Amino acid sequence: MAESNLQGIFYFEIENKVTDVGLRRAITKEVPDELEIRIDNLTDSKVRVFLKGKEAAIKKFYSLLKTKKLGHSEKYTFSEIQPVTAAGCFNVNTDRFFHKLQCEQLGKFVETGIGMQTDIRYMKQSIDNLTKSIDSLPHALAKALKETK
């Protein structure tokens, strides 16, 4: 592997179902302190992982990831690791990436909570109706017993 023209920045891609399976979170749990990381969703079936650091540490991390179960995705494939050679508006900043990932995950919790509000209202209404039925049960039983005498 040749040394990158962009200060030790390398990338590889992971393919399969990569959204809503916890893949990026699983990868970030494994990243060592000596590496900077950024993971971009390219499509629903592909992410690109950028790593910045010493080439030996990057290779070791890449090899480790290939042996791990990453989230709930199955049978994912890894591309070969390559140096980034084309510059542009590019930065590998772990803090920024983690902040973005945290915001995305929090957004999913909020969306789920909002979606649950309708279910909770329906359940409350069902419980209220059931409570009314149960409350009227003793009166109905008493009435039925009187009628049977």
Side-chain angles (χ1 to χ4, degrees), residues 11 37 42 48 55 58 72 82 93 103 105 117 122 124 129 136:
Y11 75 95
I37 189 166
L42 301 178
R48 183 170 291 153
E55 187 173 348
I58 290 171
H72 298 289
Q82 303 174 51
N93 182 314
C103 289
Q105 298 302 314
Q117 284 179 340
Y122 174 75
K124 184 181 180 321
N129 291 338
S136 65

Side-chain angles (χ1 to χ4, degrees), residues 53 80 149:
E80 291 300 315
K149 289 184 178 181

Side-chain angles (χ1 to χ4, degrees), residues 73-142:
S73 184
E74 296 178 6
K75 299 180 183 171
Y76 40 81
T77 58
F78 284 74
S79 71
E80 291 300 315
I81 192 164
Q82 303 174 51
V84 172
T85 56
C89 184
F90 189 83
N91 188 16
V92 176
N93 182 314
T94 299
D95 289 341
R96 184 175 185 280
F97 168 71
F98 280 150
H99 180 68
K100 180 181 173 191
L101 183 60
Q102 288 168 341
C103 289
E104 280 181 29
Q105 298 302 314
L106 184 57
K108 288 179 182 182
F109 285 120
V110 170
E111 285 177 25
T112 299
I114 290 169
M116 289 174 63
Q117 284 179 340
T118 302
D119 295 337
I120 291 169
R121 274 191 225 111
Y122 174 75
M123 287 187 335
K124 184 181 180 321
Q125 188 176 26
S126 296
I127 290 168
D128 289 346
N129 291 338
L130 182 60
T131 301
K132 288 176 187 173
S133 297
I134 290 172
D135 287 347
S136 65
L137 184 61
H139 300 293
L141 282 173

Side-chain angles (χ1 to χ4, degrees), residues 33-45:
D33 290 341
E34 67 264 18
L35 296 180
E36 293 286 325
I37 189 166
R38 174 176 135 187
I39 305 171
D40 295 345
N41 282 358
L42 301 178
T43 67
D44 285 349
S45 62

Side-chain angles (χ1 to χ4, degrees), residues 1-4 10 55 58-59 62 81-83:
M1 204 174 343
E3 192 63 36
S4 171
F10 294 82
E55 187 173 348
I58 290 171
K59 283 182 178 179
Y62 173 75
I81 192 164
Q82 303 174 51

